[in-house]
Amino acid sequence: EDKVVQSPLSLVVHEGDTVTLNCSYEVTNFRSLLWYKQEKKAPTFLFMLTSSGIEKKSGRLSSILDKKELFSILNITATQTGDSAVYLCAVEGVNRNDYKLSFGAGTTVTVRA
Amino acid sequence: EAGVAQSPRYKIIEKRQSVAFWCNPISGHATLYWYQQILGQGPKLLIQFQNNGVVDDSQLPKDRFSAERLKGVDSTLKIQPAKLEDSAVYLCASSLAGTSDGNTFGSGTRLTVV
């Protein structure tokens, strides 16, 4: 069974701090790793990573994948209160032509003013 | 582009009652997913449709949960009878061709079973 473990479970930081979120995984026939931000109910897509060592950036967020060690990190620099959310890591595995997404439990980030 | 629509937004029922959720995916999206997200956990896939056929329902508790996607567009998820542990947010997502990079999630239905 595919497995996705995120750490830490939660953290509290002050505005301007940098946070690093971790995601380790075990999956059959890895295709991609995805990061989502979940503020209320609907997760919104942040990044999709398929290749090791290539950093993806979007504003103050960045992410990188290590397919040898089976983990990814998500960095948020200069945090703002609007970054407060649950950050979900998901891994996509392929079985024949079917793609299946397995989620971690998420990291709850609270940014205090 | 309109997003994934779900209804109702909230539902409170007593245990042993029945409940149904509705999802309208993004137009043209062939793949539709139902996820269950219990408080403090990540979403768990219940069922995946490709058009109107089931691709994966291995984690659907079939003794009480059922889902259908008539005509390969809208989908309904039903629970009958509900248990306390079914309290969760039920998320619907859709994508073009079964790959996850194009997944778009709906706002979900929050179910409380009392």
Side-chain angles (χ1 to χ4, degrees):
Chain A
E1 186 176 315
D2 298 344
K3 189 175 173 183
V4 182
V5 178
Q6 292 186 246
S7 63
L9 287 180
S10 64
L11 71 161
V12 180
V13 298
H14 289 95
E15 275 190 316
D17 288 350
T18 294
V19 299
T20 298
L21 310 181
N22 304 292
C23 176
S24 64
Y25 63 90
E26 295 173 23
V27 66
T28 303
N29 297 328
F30 174 89
R31 178 181 181 267
S32 66
L33 183 144
L34 299 96
W35 285 97
Y36 291 85
K37 179 181 182 181
Q38 187 173 31
E39 290 179 88
K40 290 190 178 174
K41 282 197 276 186
T44 52
F45 173 79
L46 294 175
F47 297 112
M48 176 177 149
L49 303 156
T50 56
S51 301
S52 273
I54 299 174
E55 185 182 52
K56 291 217 171 177
K57 289 195 68 142
S58 176
R60 295 175 294 101
L61 278 66
S62 64
S63 184
I64 198 161
L65 173 68
D66 185 329
K67 289 168 72 174
K68 182 179 176 186
E69 300 297 329
L70 306 182
F71 78 90
S72 173
I73 60 172
L74 175 69
N75 281 318
I76 310 173
T77 59
T79 52
Q80 303 171 357
T81 54
D83 296 326
S84 296
V86 175
Y87 290 84
L88 295 166
C89 174
V91 175
E92 185 177 36
V94 182
N95 180 15
R96 287 176 283 193
N97 289 323
D98 300 327
Y99 302 89
K100 181 177 175 180
L101 207 55
S102 299
F103 283 85
T107 295
T108 301
V109 175
T110 303
V111 182
R112 297 210 192 283
Chain B
E1 174 181 81
V4 176
Q6 288 190 247
S7 68
R9 297 290 299 275
Y10 304 92
K11 191 75 178 177
I12 301 175
I13 62 172
E14 294 183 350
K15 59 183 178 184
R16 292 187 289 274
Q17 285 188 320
S18 303
V19 65
F21 312 127
W22 173 82
C23 173
N24 179 238
I26 291 174
S27 178
H29 278 194
T31 307
L32 184 147
Y33 313 80
W34 282 103
Y35 290 89
Q36 179 193 58
Q37 187 174 21
I38 292 171
L39 187 65
Q41 299 180 19
K44 181 184 86 170
L45 180 69
L46 292 176
I47 189 166
Q48 177 182 343
F49 291 95
Q50 181 76 14
N51 296 308
N52 60 349
V54 175
V55 171
D56 183 353
D57 64 355
S58 56
Q59 298 192 89
L60 187 74
K62 297 180 187 65
D63 57 333
R64 298 183 300 106
F65 285 63
S66 64
E68 60 182 8
R69 190 182 184 197
L70 298 176
K71 301 180 183 177
V73 182
D74 292 5
S75 177
T76 55
L77 176 69
K78 296 180 182 176
I79 308 175
Q80 180 180 12
K83 292 186 175 181
L84 296 176
E85 59 260 36
D86 298 332
S87 295
V89 174
Y90 291 84
L91 294 164
C92 179
S94 69
S95 67
L96 266 173
T99 60
S100 298
D101 50 342
N103 263 10
T104 302
F105 284 84
S107 295
T109 296
R110 184 179 299 279
L111 173 68
T112 302
V113 182
V114 297

